[in-house]
Amino acid sequence: MGHTFTAEKPEHADGVERVLARAFGPGRYAKTSERVRERGAVFEPSLTRIAVNDAGDVVGVCRIWRVEAGAPLFFLGPLAVDPSEQAAGVGLALARDSIAACRASVGNGVALVGAERFFRPLGFTVVPNGRLSMPGPVDPTRFLWLELRPGGLDKVQGELRAPKR
Ligand SMILES: CC(C)(COP(=O)(O)OP(=O)(O)OC[C@H]1O[C@@H](n2cnc3c(N)ncnc32)[C@H](O)[C@@H]1OP(=O)(O)O)[C@@H](O)C(=O)NCCC(=O)NCCS
C-alpha cells in the first residue's frame, strides 16, 4: 500500500491518537519523554511528519519539538506506526523526512530516546556520558542525538528543558 508523508495538521489529531494508542498501549504517558513534552517543549507541526495510506487513514507519526539544553535543540518523538503497517519502511521514512525538515530549518541537532539499532542508519549516536539529561530516568544506551550542522552540538549540554524563546 502506498503512503503520503505530510506535515501535521489539526485534522490529523484523531488519527494520530489512534496510532499512538495502538502502537504504544497504555504505558505511553509514563515515559520520561512525556515529561519533556509536558514541561514546555514547543510542538513543531511543520517539522512533524504524518504518514497517510491510500485509504486516507493516518498510519504513522514522527513528532518534533523544540527544546533547549545549553543551546536550542530538537526533540524527536513519539515515532509510531500502526501495527497493521509496521515493518514496511514507514517508520524509517517518517523519521528520515522529519529530520530532513529539521535540518532545512537550520537547527543544531536532534535528541531522542529510542532503539540505537533503529536510529543508527539515520546518523544517531549515543549521547556521551554526562552531556545531556532528561527530567526523569532514561536508559543511557537509548539516549541518542544527531548533529545537524558541523559543531551544532558543541554547546549542547545539561537537562532538556523548555526553550527560552
Ligand atoms: C518502531 C516503529 C516506529 C518502526 O516503524 P516501522 O515502520 O515498523 O519500521 P521500518 O519498517 O521502517 O523498519 C526499519 C528498520 O528498523 C527495524 N526496526 C523496527 N522496529 C525496531 C525496533 N523497535 N528496534 C530496533 N529495530 C527496529 C526494522 O527491522 C527495519 O530494519 P530492516 O529493514 O533491516 O529489517 C514501529 O515498529 C512502532 O511504532 N513500534 C511501536 C512504538 C515504538 O516502539 N516506538 C519507538 C521507536 S524507537
Side-chain angles (χ1 to χ4, degrees):
M1 183 173 287
H3 297 96
T4 309
F5 298 89
T6 71
E8 184 168 343
K9 304 262 165 41
E11 73 222 41
H12 296 128
D14 290 351
V16 167
E17 283 310 308
R18 190 185 63 244
V19 168
L20 292 176
R22 282 168 53 87
F24 284 106
R28 66 178 268 235
Y29 295 107
K31 289 166 171 277
T32 296
S33 296
E34 279 298 315
R35 304 289 87 75
V36 174
R37 299 189 272 265
E38 279 168 13
R39 290 182 191 193
V42 175
F43 179 49
E44 290 285 355
S46 68
L47 306 179
T48 292
R49 287 294 176 270
I50 301 293
V52 179
N53 68 12
D54 291 340
D57 299 322
V58 172
V59 295
V61 58
C62 181
R63 279 183 165 157
I64 300 289
W65 307 75
R66 224 154 23 81
V67 296
E68 190 155 312
L73 191 67
F74 294 115
F75 188 63
L76 183 154
L79 167 65
V81 173
D82 193 89
S84 66
E85 307 216 17
Q86 286 179 4
V90 175
L92 201 56
L94 275 172
R96 184 169 281 133
D97 228 41
S98 56
I99 291 159
C102 291
R103 186 173 275 116
S105 81
V106 195
N108 291 321
V110 184
L112 60 82
V113 179
E116 201 256 353
R117 194 169 63 87
F118 181 87
F119 288 101
R120 194 192 316 128
L122 298 170
F124 283 83
T125 56
V126 173
V127 174
N129 201 9
R131 271 299 283 286
L132 273 187
S133 62
M134 295 275 287
V138 59
D139 175 350
T141 67
R142 291 172 53 83
F143 198 15
L144 312 178
W145 69 3
L146 168 73
E147 194 163 71
L148 290 177
R149 59 172 184 83
L153 293 176
D154 288 358
K155 292 184 177 151
V156 171
Q157 58 178 349
E159 187 170 298
L160 294 189
R161 51 183 75 242
K164 287 198 193 89
R165 125 171 349 268

Short mmCIF file of all heavy atoms in Angstrom, two decimals, residues 19 23-24 31 61 78-83 85-93 112-119 142, ligand 1:
data_model
loop_
_atom_site.label_atom_id
_atom_site.label_comp_id
_atom_site.label_asym_id
_atom_site.label_seq_id
_atom_site.Cartn_x
_atom_site.Cartn_y
_atom_site.Cartn_z
N VAL A 19 -3.23 5.91 16.31
CA VAL A 19 -1.96 5.21 16.03
C VAL A 19 -1.12 5.08 17.29
O VAL A 19 -0.57 4.01 17.58
CB VAL A 19 -1.18 5.93 14.91
CG1 VAL A 19 0.25 5.40 14.82
CG2 VAL A 19 -1.89 5.79 13.57
N ALA A 23 0.00 1.60 18.86
CA ALA A 23 1.42 1.25 18.78
C ALA A 23 2.06 1.11 20.16
O ALA A 23 2.90 0.25 20.39
CB ALA A 23 2.18 2.28 17.95
N PHE A 24 1.68 1.99 21.10
CA PHE A 24 2.36 2.02 22.40
C PHE A 24 1.55 1.37 23.52
O PHE A 24 2.12 0.95 24.52
CB PHE A 24 2.65 3.46 22.83
CG PHE A 24 3.81 4.07 22.10
CD1 PHE A 24 3.61 5.01 21.11
CD2 PHE A 24 5.11 3.71 22.41
CE1 PHE A 24 4.68 5.59 20.44
CE2 PHE A 24 6.19 4.29 21.75
CZ PHE A 24 5.97 5.22 20.76
N LYS A 31 6.33 7.48 30.07
CA LYS A 31 7.69 7.65 29.56
C LYS A 31 8.28 8.99 29.97
O LYS A 31 7.59 10.02 29.99
CB LYS A 31 7.67 7.59 28.03
CG LYS A 31 7.40 6.21 27.47
CD LYS A 31 7.07 6.33 25.98
CE LYS A 31 7.02 4.98 25.33
NZ LYS A 31 8.35 4.49 24.96
N VAL A 61 3.29 8.48 12.61
CA VAL A 61 3.60 9.84 13.05
C VAL A 61 5.03 9.89 13.58
O VAL A 61 5.50 8.94 14.21
CB VAL A 61 2.59 10.32 14.13
CG1 VAL A 61 2.60 9.40 15.34
CG2 VAL A 61 2.89 11.75 14.58
N PRO A 78 6.70 11.29 19.92
CA PRO A 78 6.82 9.87 19.63
C PRO A 78 6.92 9.57 18.13
O PRO A 78 6.38 10.31 17.31
CB PRO A 78 5.53 9.29 20.21
CG PRO A 78 4.55 10.42 20.19
CD PRO A 78 5.36 11.66 20.40
N LEU A 79 7.61 8.47 17.83
CA LEU A 79 7.61 7.87 16.48
C LEU A 79 6.80 6.59 16.59
O LEU A 79 7.12 5.74 17.42
CB LEU A 79 9.03 7.55 16.03
CG LEU A 79 9.16 6.66 14.78
CD1 LEU A 79 8.60 7.34 13.54
CD2 LEU A 79 10.61 6.27 14.54
N ALA A 80 5.77 6.48 15.79
CA ALA A 80 4.93 5.27 15.86
C ALA A 80 4.30 4.99 14.51
O ALA A 80 3.93 5.90 13.77
CB ALA A 80 3.84 5.44 16.92
N VAL A 81 4.17 3.70 14.21
CA VAL A 81 3.48 3.24 13.01
C VAL A 81 2.41 2.26 13.45
O VAL A 81 2.64 1.44 14.36
CB VAL A 81 4.47 2.58 12.03
CG1 VAL A 81 3.75 1.94 10.85
CG2 VAL A 81 5.50 3.60 11.54
N ASP A 82 1.23 2.37 12.85
CA ASP A 82 0.14 1.47 13.20
C ASP A 82 0.61 0.02 13.04
O ASP A 82 1.24 -0.33 12.03
CB ASP A 82 -1.06 1.72 12.30
CG ASP A 82 -2.29 1.03 12.83
OD1 ASP A 82 -3.01 1.64 13.63
OD2 ASP A 82 -2.51 -0.16 12.47
N PRO A 83 0.30 -0.85 14.02
CA PRO A 83 0.76 -2.25 13.95
C PRO A 83 0.41 -2.94 12.63
O PRO A 83 1.16 -3.80 12.16
CB PRO A 83 0.05 -2.92 15.13
CG PRO A 83 -0.17 -1.80 16.11
CD PRO A 83 -0.40 -0.56 15.29
N GLU A 85 0.65 -1.79 9.77
CA GLU A 85 1.52 -1.36 8.65
C GLU A 85 2.99 -1.25 9.07
O GLU A 85 3.77 -0.56 8.40
CB GLU A 85 1.00 -0.03 8.08
CG GLU A 85 -0.48 -0.12 7.70
CD GLU A 85 -0.84 0.67 6.46
OE1 GLU A 85 0.05 1.02 5.69
OE2 GLU A 85 -2.06 0.92 6.29
N GLN A 86 3.33 -1.92 10.17
CA GLN A 86 4.73 -1.90 10.59
C GLN A 86 5.59 -2.79 9.70
O GLN A 86 5.08 -3.64 8.97
CB GLN A 86 4.86 -2.35 12.06
CG GLN A 86 4.36 -1.27 13.02
CD GLN A 86 4.44 -1.70 14.48
OE1 GLN A 86 4.92 -2.77 14.81
NE2 GLN A 86 3.92 -0.86 15.37
N ALA A 87 6.91 -2.57 9.78
CA ALA A 87 7.89 -3.39 9.06
C ALA A 87 7.78 -3.27 7.54
O ALA A 87 8.12 -4.20 6.81
CB ALA A 87 7.80 -4.85 9.50
N ALA A 88 7.27 -2.12 7.07
CA ALA A 88 7.20 -1.87 5.63
C ALA A 88 8.01 -0.63 5.25
O ALA A 88 7.85 -0.09 4.16
CB ALA A 88 5.75 -1.71 5.21
N GLY A 89 8.83 -0.14 6.18
CA GLY A 89 9.68 1.01 5.88
C GLY A 89 9.07 2.35 6.23
O GLY A 89 9.72 3.39 6.05
N VAL A 90 7.83 2.37 6.73
CA VAL A 90 7.16 3.65 7.00
C VAL A 90 7.84 4.39 8.16
O VAL A 90 8.06 5.61 8.09
CB VAL A 90 5.66 3.43 7.31
CG1 VAL A 90 4.98 4.73 7.71
CG2 VAL A 90 4.97 2.82 6.10
N GLY A 91 8.21 3.67 9.21
CA GLY A 91 8.83 4.31 10.38
C GLY A 91 10.14 4.99 10.03
O GLY A 91 10.37 6.15 10.40
N LEU A 92 10.96 4.29 9.28
CA LEU A 92 12.25 4.85 8.89
C LEU A 92 12.05 6.07 7.98
O LEU A 92 12.72 7.10 8.13
CB LEU A 92 13.09 3.77 8.19
CG LEU A 92 14.59 3.99 8.14
CD1 LEU A 92 15.16 4.19 9.54
CD2 LEU A 92 15.26 2.80 7.47
N ALA A 93 11.10 5.95 7.04
CA ALA A 93 10.84 7.06 6.12
C ALA A 93 10.31 8.29 6.87
O ALA A 93 10.70 9.42 6.58
CB ALA A 93 9.84 6.62 5.05
N LEU A 112 16.71 12.22 21.12
CA LEU A 112 15.55 11.34 21.28
C LEU A 112 15.89 10.20 22.23
O LEU A 112 17.07 9.97 22.55
CB LEU A 112 15.11 10.77 19.91
CG LEU A 112 16.11 9.93 19.12
CD1 LEU A 112 16.14 8.47 19.59
CD2 LEU A 112 15.77 9.97 17.65
N VAL A 113 14.87 9.50 22.65
CA VAL A 113 15.05 8.25 23.39
C VAL A 113 14.47 7.14 22.53
O VAL A 113 13.28 7.15 22.21
CB VAL A 113 14.33 8.30 24.76
CG1 VAL A 113 14.52 6.97 25.49
CG2 VAL A 113 14.84 9.46 25.60
N GLY A 114 15.32 6.21 22.09
CA GLY A 114 14.85 5.15 21.21
C GLY A 114 15.91 4.08 21.00
O GLY A 114 16.99 4.14 21.58
N ALA A 115 15.58 3.13 20.13
CA ALA A 115 16.47 2.00 19.88
C ALA A 115 17.63 2.43 18.99
O ALA A 115 17.42 2.90 17.88
CB ALA A 115 15.69 0.87 19.20
N GLU A 116 18.84 2.23 19.48
CA GLU A 116 20.05 2.63 18.74
C GLU A 116 20.12 1.92 17.39
O GLU A 116 20.50 2.51 16.38
CB GLU A 116 21.28 2.33 19.60
CG GLU A 116 22.50 3.12 19.21
CD GLU A 116 23.51 2.28 18.45
OE1 GLU A 116 23.32 1.05 18.33
OE2 GLU A 116 24.48 2.86 17.96
N ARG A 117 19.71 0.65 17.37
CA ARG A 117 19.76 -0.13 16.13
C ARG A 117 18.87 0.48 15.04
O ARG A 117 19.18 0.45 13.86
CB ARG A 117 19.34 -1.57 16.41
CG ARG A 117 19.67 -2.56 15.32
CD ARG A 117 19.45 -4.00 15.80
NE ARG A 117 18.06 -4.27 16.15
CZ ARG A 117 17.15 -4.67 15.27
NH1 ARG A 117 17.45 -4.84 14.01
NH2 ARG A 117 15.91 -4.91 15.65
N PHE A 118 17.72 1.03 15.47
CA PHE A 118 16.79 1.65 14.51
C PHE A 118 17.32 2.98 14.00
O PHE A 118 17.24 3.28 12.81
CB PHE A 118 15.42 1.84 15.18
CG PHE A 118 14.39 2.45 14.27
CD1 PHE A 118 13.61 1.64 13.44
CD2 PHE A 118 14.22 3.82 14.21
CE1 PHE A 118 12.67 2.19 12.60
CE2 PHE A 118 13.28 4.39 13.36
CZ PHE A 118 12.50 3.56 12.55
N PHE A 119 17.86 3.81 14.92
CA PHE A 119 18.22 5.18 14.57
C PHE A 119 19.66 5.34 14.06
O PHE A 119 19.98 6.38 13.49
CB PHE A 119 17.97 6.12 15.76
CG PHE A 119 16.51 6.36 16.01
CD1 PHE A 119 15.83 5.69 17.02
CD2 PHE A 119 15.79 7.24 15.21
CE1 PHE A 119 14.47 5.90 17.23
CE2 PHE A 119 14.44 7.46 15.41
CZ PHE A 119 13.78 6.78 16.43
N ARG A 142 19.81 4.20 25.26
CA ARG A 142 18.73 4.59 24.35
C ARG A 142 18.64 6.11 24.18
O ARG A 142 17.74 6.61 23.51
CB ARG A 142 17.39 4.05 24.85
CG ARG A 142 17.28 2.53 24.75
CD ARG A 142 16.02 2.02 25.43
NE ARG A 142 14.80 2.68 24.99
CZ ARG A 142 14.12 2.35 23.90
NH1 ARG A 142 14.53 1.36 23.14
NH2 ARG A 142 13.03 3.01 23.57
C1 LIG B 1 9.46 1.40 15.90
C2 LIG B 1 8.49 1.67 14.76
C3 LIG B 1 8.15 3.15 14.70
C4 LIG B 1 9.20 1.27 13.44
O1 LIG B 1 8.36 1.54 12.36
P1 LIG B 1 8.26 0.51 11.17
O2 LIG B 1 7.54 1.15 10.05
O3 LIG B 1 7.73 -0.78 11.68
O4 LIG B 1 9.82 0.32 10.84
P2 LIG B 1 10.52 0.15 9.45
O5 LIG B 1 9.77 -0.82 8.62
O6 LIG B 1 10.80 1.48 8.84
O7 LIG B 1 11.87 -0.52 9.96
C5 LIG B 1 13.13 -0.05 9.62
C6 LIG B 1 14.16 -0.95 10.25
O8 LIG B 1 14.13 -0.87 11.67
C7 LIG B 1 13.99 -2.14 12.28
N1 LIG B 1 13.16 -1.97 13.48
C8 LIG B 1 11.84 -1.80 13.52
N2 LIG B 1 11.44 -1.61 14.80
C9 LIG B 1 12.55 -1.67 15.58
C10 LIG B 1 12.81 -1.55 16.97
N3 LIG B 1 11.83 -1.32 17.87
N4 LIG B 1 14.07 -1.68 17.40
C11 LIG B 1 15.05 -1.90 16.53
N5 LIG B 1 14.88 -2.02 15.21
C12 LIG B 1 13.65 -1.91 14.73
C13 LIG B 1 13.35 -2.99 11.22
O9 LIG B 1 13.71 -4.35 11.40
C14 LIG B 1 13.95 -2.42 9.95
O10 LIG B 1 15.21 -2.92 9.70
P3 LIG B 1 15.47 -3.84 8.43
O11 LIG B 1 14.97 -3.04 7.26
O12 LIG B 1 16.94 -4.04 8.46
O13 LIG B 1 14.66 -5.04 8.71
C15 LIG B 1 7.20 0.83 14.87
O14 LIG B 1 7.53 -0.52 14.88
C16 LIG B 1 6.39 1.16 16.11
O15 LIG B 1 5.50 2.03 16.05
N6 LIG B 1 6.65 0.47 17.23
C17 LIG B 1 5.92 0.70 18.47
C18 LIG B 1 6.22 2.07 19.01
C19 LIG B 1 7.70 2.24 19.37
O16 LIG B 1 8.32 1.36 19.96
N7 LIG B 1 8.25 3.43 19.04
C20 LIG B 1 9.60 3.78 19.48
C21 LIG B 1 10.58 3.81 18.36
S1 LIG B 1 12.27 3.63 18.99
#
